[in-house]
Amino acid sequence: MTPHARVAFHYEMKAARACYRDGDLDAAFAHLERAHILGQRDTLRHTWSHGWMLRVGWARRDGREIRGQLLRLVGALLISRIWVPLGNTGGANVSPVQPMPLPDDLRRLLEEAPRG
């Protein structure tokens, strides 16, 4: 993960937690989708984003999201380092194996050359 992508991931997670605390679950989930895109190639960050998606699903009492996130948590732990569908937003409303277009701002963060 590039340094700027790491910072952006943590920003999205922090924003998601703030929205969750404020009761704005839709905004929280939108930030979690962006965090998922940024962190899906890193097992810990990928799993962390799905854990929070599960938490939002639970707060919404959304059985489909809860079941979907339980399965995705297992997948994140087992296959994040092998293969991920680039751009996938991670919610239960999309196939867990479907690549999706990257938002332009996130594409730049994911494609920047590592520094060092």
Side-chain angles (χ1 to χ4, degrees):
M1 178 177 265
T2 67
H4 288 107
R6 186 176 299 114
V7 168
F9 173 85
H10 288 289
Y11 167 81
E12 295 294 345
M13 291 300 296
K14 184 176 181 179
R17 289 190 306 272
C19 291
Y20 180 87
R21 279 191 306 272
D22 292 343
D24 190 348
L25 300 179
D26 291 340
F29 205 84
H31 285 291
L32 292 170
E33 289 176 319
R34 290 175 56 81
H36 179 269
I37 292 168
L38 290 164
Q40 71 185 137
R41 291 187 172 163
D42 176 282
T43 302
L44 178 62
R45 289 177 179 90
H46 192 186
T47 304
W48 189 12
S49 66
H50 281 297
W52 269 92
M53 287 180 172
L54 174 61
R55 192 170 185 172
V56 170
W58 187 266
R60 288 176 169 166
R61 301 297 187 248
D62 182 342
R64 179 178 180 211
E65 195 66 48
I66 293 166
R67 287 187 302 277
Q69 292 308 321
L70 289 171
L71 291 171
R72 285 162 175 80
L73 274 167
V74 173
L77 286 168
L78 297 177
I79 62 171
S80 293
R81 291 172 109 14
I82 300 169
W83 178 81
V84 293
L86 188 63
N88 188 288
T89 55
N93 63 325
V94 297
S95 167
V97 297
Q98 177 66 44
M100 300 171 76
L102 286 167
D104 288 337
D105 62 327
L106 300 186
R107 177 186 310 282
R108 285 190 298 274
L109 290 169
L110 293 169
E111 292 177 349
E112 79 180 2
R115 299 176 188 196

